[in-house]
Amino acid sequence: QYNNWDWNTCTELVPVNGVAGQFWTVRYLEAGSEFKFNTAKAWNGDETASVGEAIGFTTPGNGVVENAGLYMIFVDYTQSKTTVAPASIYGMGGCFAGGWDAGTPFTVNEDGTASISTTAEAELRMYAAAPEGYSIDWWRMEFIFFEDGVIAYRGNGGDQDRYTVAAGKT
C-alpha cells in the first residue's frame, strides 16, 4: 500500500492556483500498490468515494495503477473526476534551454525520479503539467526547491521565495 496507510505521512494535494476545486501532486506509485483518497485525515468510510470518474487507475475500492512510475495525480471536483497519468514536469525560465518561451522537459528516470540540468545561472522555476484535457497556465502548478531540499509549492499563494541556481546543475 502507498505510505502504509499512515495518515502522518499521507500526501496532501496542492491546490491549482486560482482554480477552485482542482488539486494535484506528483508521486511515484508501485504497480499494484493500493491507494485511497479522502477529504480528511480520517477513516470515516468516505475513502475513495469522492474520486468521481477514475481515469488511469482502477476502482472501486482502493485505487491501483497497472505500471510502476512517476504519476500526476489530479483531482477535479468541478468535473467530478480524478486522473492518475504519467507525470510531465518542466523547467521554465532563464536557467533552462527553453527560457520563458517553452518549458524544458524533465527526464523521468527508471528509478522513479525526474531530473533536469540547468543551462545558465538564473532563478529556478519548475512546474508539473496538468493531465490531458486541461489547459492550465504553467505557473498555476508551479513549484521550486531549495538547496536544502525543501520543496515550495505555489498552491493558492503568490510567487514563492526565489532561489538562484548555477549553470550545469542537475
Side-chain angles (χ1 to χ4, degrees):
Q1 297 84 1
Y2 177 76
N3 91 321
N4 294 317
W5 306 129
D6 184 350
W7 288 120
N8 295 315
T9 59
C10 70
T11 298
E12 292 190 35
L13 300 173
V14 179
V16 174
N17 183 278
V19 182
Q22 293 181 347
F23 303 87
W24 68 277
T25 192
V26 172
R27 290 291 183 264
Y28 181 80
L29 299 174
E30 292 283 349
S33 180
E34 298 177 335
F35 55 91
K36 295 178 181 282
F37 293 95
N38 201 354
T39 56
K41 292 182 179 182
W43 297 110
N44 59 9
D46 293 338
E47 303 85 25
T48 315
S50 60
V51 299
E53 179 185 1
I55 301 167
F57 66 104
T58 59
T59 62
N62 299 333
V64 176
V65 293
E66 187 175 324
N67 299 305
L70 195 60
Y71 286 94
M72 160 61 67
I73 301 169
F74 193 86
V75 175
D76 182 355
Y77 286 114
T78 67
Q79 295 187 39
S80 189
K81 64 182 178 180
T82 299
T83 303
V84 177
S88 295
I89 305 168
Y90 298 87
M92 189 66 148
C95 67
F96 298 106
W100 293 104
D101 295 326
T104 301
F106 275 61
T107 298
V108 176
N109 306 306
E110 287 187 29
D111 67 356
T113 62
S115 60
I116 191 171
S117 294
T118 58
T119 57
E121 181 176 322
E123 290 180 350
L124 187 62
R125 308 275 303 259
M126 297 164 285
Y127 69 97
E132 187 176 327
Y134 290 89
S135 179
I136 296 174
D137 290 327
W138 70 270
W139 54 270
R140 293 187 183 276
M141 294 175 61
E142 183 180 10
F143 65 97
I144 60 175
F145 48 93
F146 299 95
E147 193 170 4
D148 61 4
V150 172
I151 299 175
Y153 297 94
R154 184 177 198 129
N156 275 327
D159 280 346
Q160 304 97 322
D161 290 337
R162 295 292 176 232
Y163 174 68
T164 299
V165 65
K169 295 293 182 177
T170 299

